[in-house]
Amino acid sequence: MTPRPMEVTIPDHLFAQLPFFDVVDTDDTVVVDLENRADLVNIRGALQGGLVATLIDVAGGRLAIKYTGEGAGASTADMTIHFLAPIMEGPARATATLVRAGKRTIVVAVDVTDVGGDRLAARATLSFAVLTPRQPAQPATAP
């Protein structure tokens, strides 16, 4: 699949300014790339670790939401990341796979590779809390 810019549905959201690209989006796998550009690297020339964490959260959250049910949501409850190697070439590619989908918690594994460097750069496990659907606001009643 040819990567395409990730759709951002919130107007003026920060994610619209970052070079996220959708690679795969199926029921059981989400793959998202983050291009490595000069304004996103640290003083050593590697993609900033916080942006790698954000990439992991985006890919994992997009997969988790598929298992929440109609109108429900998911919120990151826990994220453990093992940074294994710097992302020097890029893009950073996050591959999210489902570990377990329960009624209240969804667990996702995410591997991040430096595509240009052909190596595993990070491995993460995330837990998402399943959020119940929001109820529509009730009109105020007069006393």
Side-chain angles (χ1 to χ4, degrees):
M1 176 180 210
T2 302
R4 62 191 182 289
M6 185 176 81
E7 180 181 348
V8 178
T9 57
I10 302 170
D12 301 320
H13 196 278
L14 171 65
F15 287 177
Q17 299 173 36
L18 295 173
F20 286 115
F21 291 86
D22 289 331
V23 180
V24 173
D25 192 343
T26 66
D27 288 343
D28 57 356
T29 305
V30 171
V31 180
V32 179
D33 281 359
L34 176 59
E35 294 295 327
N36 193 5
R37 5 178 258 222
D39 62 332
L40 303 179
V41 299
N42 60 26
I43 60 172
R44 298 184 58 119
L47 189 63
Q48 288 279 352
L51 291 173
V52 175
T54 300
L55 172 65
I56 289 167
D57 197 33
V58 166
R62 286 186 43 203
L63 181 62
I65 202 80
K66 295 172 187 270
Y67 293 89
T68 61
E70 187 69 32
S75 179
T76 307
D78 181 72
M79 178 167 47
T80 300
I81 305 171
H82 298 277
F83 292 98
L84 307 172
I87 298 168
M88 301 300 293
E89 295 181 45
R93 176 165 290 166
T95 302
T97 55
L98 182 70
V99 174
R100 181 180 185 280
K103 291 181 181 178
R104 294 190 177 136
T105 305
I106 298 166
V107 180
V108 175
V110 180
D111 281 348
V112 179
T113 57
D114 181 341
V115 174
D118 192 29
R119 65 179 174 179
L120 184 63
R123 177 161 283 170
T125 305
L126 298 89
S127 298
F128 293 90
V130 176
L131 306 174
T132 57
R134 288 184 173 214
Q135 301 299 320
Q138 300 296 321
T141 56

